[in-house]
Structure formats: C-alpha cells, structure tokens
Amino acid sequence: MAAAPLVVSVPEIEYAEALADLDGVDTVVWDMSEPHPRGAEIRLTVMPYMTRLRLADVAVGLDALEVVQLQSAGYEQFLPEVPEGVTLCNAAGVHDASTAELALALTLASVREIPKFVVSQAGSTWEPLILRSALADSRVLVVGYGQIGRAVARRFAPFEVALTAVASRARDGDDLVPHVHGIDELPDLLPHHEVVVVIVPLSEATRGLFDADMLGRMPDGAVLVNVARGPVVDTDALLAECASGRLRAALDVTDPEPLPADHALWTTPGVLITPHIGGATQAMRPRAKALVRRQVEAMLAGGPLVNAVATGGTAGG
Amino acid sequence: MAAAPLVVSVPEIEYAEALADLDGVDTVVWDMSEPHPRGAEIRLTVMPYMTRLRLADVAVGLDALEVVQLQSAGYEQFLPEVPEGVTLCNAAGVHDASTAELALALTLASVREIPKFVVSQAGSTWEPLILRSALADSRVLVVGYGQIGRAVARRFAPFEVALTAVASRARDGDDLVPHVHGIDELPDLLPHHEVVVVIVPLSEATRGLFDADMLGRMPDGAVLVNVARGPVVDTDALLAECASGRLRAALDVTDPEPLPADHALWTTPGVLITPHIGGATQAMRPRAKALVRRQVEAMLAGGPLVNAVATGGTAGG
C-alpha cells in the first residue's frame, strides 16, 4: 500500500508548479483568506509573503500540521503562536541577493551623487564638469558578516575597494576578507572607513549600536548605509551628523518606520531614503520556490528541516 | 659623466611627488598658463585634465619635447597638432574603474527605482510595500568588451546575473563570459537581455548603432545604460521608446551634449541622466599618477612608451 501523500499548501499557483514533478506530494493552493476544505490533511503550509495573518488563526483545523514555512527572514512576530509540536521555518537566504544588491545601489547612488543629478534633471540642468567622488579606492566596512553581509562583500569586491568585515565575534577570514573582526573592534575600525554598511540583526546588543559616539568616529565625508533595521542607528545622532554636512547616509530602514511625513530626516542634506525595499523584489520568487522545494524534499526524506527557527511547546506564548 | 636628467613637466605638485624617488628624473610643475623657464629642456609633458589647451600653443619653445601625456582616454582633438616627431600618449585605463562603477550605479539606480524614491523623499512620502524589480536574475548584455567593458562585466558578475559580452569581432571568452560575441550578433542577442550596457568607442561603425530597429529589439521593460558616447544611440528613437513606457534608459552621455534645457529627454519618464561624470572622479588621480610613473620609467629604460596613440609627422594637420 502506498504511503499517504505529503499534503502541502502554498499561497500561489506558481509555487505548486515548482513542486509538480515531486512524487508523493499533493499540493493545494491556499491563500488563507478562508478555511481550506482539506485543511485537516495539510502537513506543511507556506505562508503568503508580507502577511498580517496570525498563526493562531491560520492553524485552526490544521490537525496534521507539522511545519509552517515563512517567506520572510524575520519571524519574531510569529513566535508566540507557533502551535504545539509545529516547527516554524523562516526564509533565510531568500532575500539575500535583493538586499545585498540594494546595499550597493544605495552606496553607489550616494557616492556618485545620483540624488543630486535627479534633482538637476528635474530642473533640466546639466551640471558642470568637475572632479567628483567615486567608490573606487574607498575602504568599505561591512558590519554584520552573516549570509547577507557576505553577499554584500562579494558585490563590493570587484570595485577596487578595501574590504573589512565585522561580526559578533572575531574569526578567520574567507575568500573576500583575510580576517573577520569582532564587534568590540568596531570603535577602532570606524575612523578608517569611508563607507560603512550595516547589516546586523536587530537585538539588544545591536539596538542603538550606531550612537553619537560611534557615528562621531566615522571620518568626515563618510557614508553610512543601513540595510539592517532602523533602531540599529540612533536617528537623532545621525541627523545631527548629516545636518552639519559631516556625514552622509543611505537608509533603507529608519527609526521610526515608516518615517512620518514631518520627520526632519526626509529633508536632511546628504540623506537618501528608500522605504524598506531591500528584500521585497521579484528576485525573491525563484529563491522562495527553491526553498519550499528543498523543505518538501527534506520532509519526504525524513531529514532535518531547512531554516527551522522554533518548535511550538505545550505552554503557549 | 652622468647622463642629463629626464626633464618632465607635470600639471600639479602631487604628480611630482609620485616621481620624487626616481633617479635621473628632474620634474617641474607647469600648469601651461604661461611659458615655463625650462621649457626647452622638457622631454615629457603631462597635460592638465579637462583642458582646452591646444597642443600647438603648448609646444611653443619645447624644443626637446618627445612625449605628450594626456590624462584623458579621448585624444581625437589633439591629433591635428601633434608636433613633428613627438608621440602622443593617452590615459587609457585611468578612468576605467570610475566609468565601470558608474555603469553599475546607473543600472542599480534605474532597476531599484532610486530616482522615484528621491522624488518621494522630497515629498516626505513613504512608498507602500510592494514587490519591486531587482537586478538579480537579469540577463545583462555588455556591448563593447574592451578594457572598460571587462571592468563593467567584472562588477556585474557577483550580482547573480547572466552576462553576455559583445565586441567588434567574436572571440573566445575569459573568466567572466564563456564567449565574446561579434557585433553582427547584436540584433539576435538584444531580445534576450533586460539590461544593455553600452561602452563601445564612438566610430563610424558605432554612430547610431542603437537606432529604432535595435532599440525595438530590446524586450519590454528593459533598460539601456549608455556610458559610451551620446551619438552611439539615436536620441529620438530612444525618446520614443521611453515616452511610451516600453524601455527605460540611464544615460551618462547624450546627443546633443550638454543636453539643452528645453530637450524632451530631461522629462521623459524612465530616463535617468547624469552629466558625463563617468571618468571624472577622484579615482583617476592615483591611476593617472601611476601611469605617468610608468611612462617615465619607460622613457628612462628606452623601452616602448605606454599608450602611444600617434606620432606627429612632417606634414602637419
């Protein structure tokens, strides 16, 4: 007698197509807007991206549920409601290419003065030929050297820059940097880098990491690129450094976020702001589909799950 | 008896400093604004960058002149006035890093919608979270695969894109592309690339290369990045493709250039314009100094000159 198929729910048809050739898998498309008739059979459910759904609501009637697969790297808001015995898996890796790419886009836009030329273009003005700034020859500090940090460094490498990496603890280097510095070395490293890219996770250790003292250690004219989380940088301290013209900033994340219309950061000179668009691009789709497929294969093989971040206990949140 | 020193004129003191440790070299700083008292001894003269000086004027009284070193890659305007027996050398390579870097800046700014966010920022508007476009997974066509084209390709390589290179003639590939296509294949390649970066030299073969037919072969939503010369692209044809919303463009060069204030290109949707800033950055300075040093060393050694592009004949322009 054949084993019962692994019933998987996916939020969109294209995810089902990515699983179509796998034997022993029965995929249903479920956007979670109302209960699914086969809900009780679903063992793996893939959540929609950018959802406000709560796991407590999603899990109602899903009596066979084993795994919840998120499409975001962040998962903190789901932790309190992971059902007992169910494993929560995040989408680490799915947004790396897109986020790392934005770090370069923000850096290059800032260093090569793209915002200024956009304004000149709106005024039909051809700016005069003068010797301008470039990224080449800059010393680039990547603060946070996990998977995305390395993706950032890999993209900077061909730009004829000197790369330095900082992680929570010092360790040996890789093909991109000879050595990974510990976060305790950050104060001494900052004065020697014209570009600082922040991609640390937000934690109690990193909240407010770039305060007035740390920002004050950056050299004149340096640019701070934040593609991590807004609260990693002290907004008021950054505002003061940029308002004085001493530092520049390119921010995909802010604190507060969204930035209120009357916030001074919008109009501070030398500040470029994008509205938290780092990971939210079409580039996530093939990578999310590949992750779901790897997860399904892991379940079929009875092997370890991919990106498991928590399993619901009996006590509840 | 020691040989007479090689007298070199440089336009700025920092170039002299870069030669200070070379034996047998006597460097004078000369900005060419008036005749130099030791003009008759100068054998190598380095022209100022972004100069409007004419060689016929510069060479007056320079009876020992052997080599004129330019700081630009372009040299066409100097050709008619190269003095008899004097070799003109250009600065090929000096601006590669800066120009290649701008190609990436323009591409990333365009694909990741930086101009749109600059406008939103000016209006203190946090744009909504939607799935946007990314560079990752794009097929990138580099048209013109000389030294700068390779520098462009090298910078694109880590962005998880598929790279295709086109040169004047097909040849074997390198570490970046498996094969270099000939320009005759361009019409068949264009439909398969979302990003097209143009970095061909301007010649009778490339003038108007991107005409209505070629642009029409680019797929919907594709972006044309021109860091070559304006006349390589038919401005009216590009304007039509962008005005309809079918193509996007990011242009460091235009035709005409500078773009007149009343030109429609300034305000065409999807067009990003920078005012020919590709090579004119601080990144050129260490590279120009290194080139001057190599040139002086070549002359000291009696070896072949670096970047020789023409030697003045007896007939004159």
Side-chain angles (χ1 to χ4, degrees):
Chain A
M1 198 180 90
L6 173 63
V7 180
V8 175
S9 89
V10 294
E12 291 173 67
I13 184 73
E14 66 173 302
Y15 290 78
E17 289 159 2
L19 303 173
D21 64 319
L22 289 178
D23 286 332
V25 179
D26 189 353
T27 308
V28 299
V29 177
W30 181 36
D31 67 3
M32 303 181 174
S33 59
E34 49 191 276
H36 193 275
R38 295 181 60 193
E41 298 170 62
I42 293 171
R43 290 166 56 199
L44 164 64
T45 190
V46 179
M47 299 283 286
Y49 183 53
M50 305 191 294
T51 181
R52 290 179 184 274
L53 287 165
R54 297 181 53 174
L55 277 192
D57 297 328
V58 169
V60 172
L62 268 56
D63 302 331
L65 190 63
E66 296 170 28
V67 178
V68 172
Q69 174 67 58
L70 302 176
Q71 294 199 61
S72 59
Y75 58 84
E76 295 77 4
Q77 69 271 36
F78 298 105
L79 280 181
E81 295 186 343
V82 182
E84 185 181 340
V86 170
T87 300
L88 182 69
C89 297
N90 77 347
V94 163
H95 306 275
D96 293 7
S98 183
T99 304
E101 174 183 314
L102 186 70
L104 272 285
L106 288 173
T107 304
L108 287 167
S110 184
V111 171
R112 299 303 295 260
E113 303 178 84
I114 300 292
K116 173 200 175 80
F117 295 125
V118 169
V119 172
S120 298
Q121 182 175 345
S124 301
T125 303
W126 189 270
E127 294 288 338
L129 184 59
I130 57 169
L131 222 51
R132 300 179 184 278
S133 62
L135 175 60
D137 303 335
S138 296
R139 296 165 296 180
V140 178
L141 184 64
V142 179
V143 183
Y145 203 58
Q147 215 163 268
I148 307 183
R150 278 195 305 279
V152 168
R154 190 169 301 118
R155 284 159 176 77
F156 270 106
F159 281 88
E160 304 184 30
V161 296
L163 275 172
T164 309
V166 168
S168 49
R169 269 179 290 272
R171 59 176 192 259
D172 289 342
D174 53 26
D175 57 322
L176 296 163
V177 291
H179 178 71
V180 179
H181 296 266
I183 192 77
D184 54 304
E185 299 172 72
L186 184 60
D188 294 333
L189 290 168
L190 283 171
H192 307 290
H193 292 86
E194 291 84 21
V195 176
V196 178
V197 181
V198 189
I199 183 60
V200 290
L202 179 61
S203 69
E204 283 321 300
T206 61
R207 186 177 295 273
L209 176 64
F210 283 85
D211 57 11
D213 173 58
M214 287 289 194
L215 293 170
R217 290 168 183 268
M218 290 173 65
D220 290 0
V223 57
L224 181 81
V225 181
N226 191 359
V227 287
R229 288 291 181 270
V232 171
V233 178
D234 179 328
T235 300
D236 289 339
L238 181 67
L239 221 153
E241 288 281 19
C242 292
S244 75
R246 205 186 72 81
L247 297 183
R248 290 172 292 162
L251 312 170
D252 188 43
V253 290
T254 59
D255 177 28
E257 185 178 315
L259 204 61
D262 61 352
H263 201 287
L265 205 55
W266 286 118
T267 51
T268 303
V271 176
L272 168 62
I273 299 170
T274 54
H276 205 147
I277 59 165
T281 69
Q282 298 293 345
M284 71 158 286
R285 300 184 79 86
R287 289 161 182 78
K289 285 190 273 184
L291 171 61
V292 169
R293 190 181 166 98
R294 285 204 308 283
Q295 198 69 282
V296 169
E297 288 172 335
M299 290 181 74
L300 288 173
L305 295 171
V306 183
N307 290 344
V309 291
T311 299
T314 52
Chain B
M1 198 180 90
L6 172 62
V7 180
V8 175
S9 88
V10 295
E12 292 173 67
I13 184 74
E14 65 173 302
Y15 289 79
E17 289 159 1
L19 303 174
D21 65 319
L22 290 178
D23 285 333
V25 179
D26 189 354
T27 308
V28 300
V29 177
W30 181 36
D31 67 4
M32 303 182 174
S33 59
E34 49 191 276
H36 194 275
R38 295 181 59 194
E41 299 170 61
I42 293 171
R43 290 167 57 200
L44 163 63
T45 190
V46 179
M47 300 281 286
Y49 183 53
M50 307 191 292
T51 180
R52 289 178 185 276
L53 288 165
R54 296 182 54 174
L55 277 191
D57 298 327
V58 169
V60 172
L62 269 55
D63 301 332
L65 191 64
E66 296 170 28
V67 178
V68 172
Q69 175 66 59
L70 302 177
Q71 295 199 61
S72 59
Y75 56 85
E76 294 78 3
Q77 70 272 36
F78 299 104
L79 280 181
E81 295 185 343
V82 182
E84 184 181 339
V86 170
T87 300
L88 182 69
C89 297
N90 77 349
V94 163
H95 306 276
D96 293 8
S98 183
T99 304
E101 174 183 313
L102 187 70
L104 272 284
L106 288 173
T107 303
L108 286 167
S110 184
V111 171
R112 298 303 294 259
E113 303 178 85
I114 300 292
K116 173 200 176 80
F117 295 126
V118 169
V119 173
S120 299
Q121 182 175 345
S124 300
T125 302
W126 190 270
E127 294 288 336
L129 183 59
I130 57 169
L131 222 51
R132 302 179 183 277
S133 61
L135 175 60
D137 303 335
S138 295
R139 296 165 296 181
V140 178
L141 184 64
V142 179
V143 183
Y145 202 59
Q147 215 162 270
I148 307 183
R150 278 197 304 280
V152 168
R154 190 170 301 119
R155 284 160 177 76
F156 270 106
F159 281 88
E160 304 184 30
V161 296
L163 275 172
T164 309
V166 168
S168 50
R169 269 178 290 273
R171 59 177 192 259
D172 289 343
D174 53 25
D175 58 322
L176 297 165
V177 291
H179 178 72
V180 179
H181 296 266
I183 192 78
D184 54 306
E185 299 173 72
L186 183 61
D188 295 331
L189 291 168
L190 283 171
H192 307 290
H193 293 86
E194 291 83 21
V195 176
V196 178
V197 181
V198 188
I199 183 59
V200 290
L202 179 61
S203 68
E204 282 322 301
T206 61
R207 185 178 295 273
L209 176 64
F210 283 85
D211 57 11
D213 173 58
M214 287 288 194
L215 294 171
R217 290 169 183 267
M218 290 174 64
D220 290 359
V223 57
L224 181 81
V225 180
N226 191 359
V227 286
R229 286 292 180 272
V232 171
V233 177
D234 179 329
T235 300
D236 288 340
L238 181 66
L239 223 153
E241 288 281 19
C242 293
S244 75
R246 204 185 74 79
L247 296 183
R248 289 172 294 163
L251 312 171
D252 188 43
V253 290
T254 59
D255 178 26
E257 182 178 316
L259 205 59
D262 61 352
H263 201 286
L265 204 56
W266 286 118
T267 52
T268 302
V271 176
L272 169 62
I273 299 170
T274 53
H276 204 146
I277 60 165
T281 70
Q282 298 293 346
M284 73 159 284
R285 301 184 80 85
R287 290 161 182 77
K289 284 190 275 184
L291 170 61
V292 169
R293 190 180 166 99
R294 285 205 307 281
Q295 198 70 282
V296 169
E297 288 171 335
M299 290 181 74
L300 287 173
L305 295 171
V306 184
N307 290 343
V309 291
T311 298
T314 52

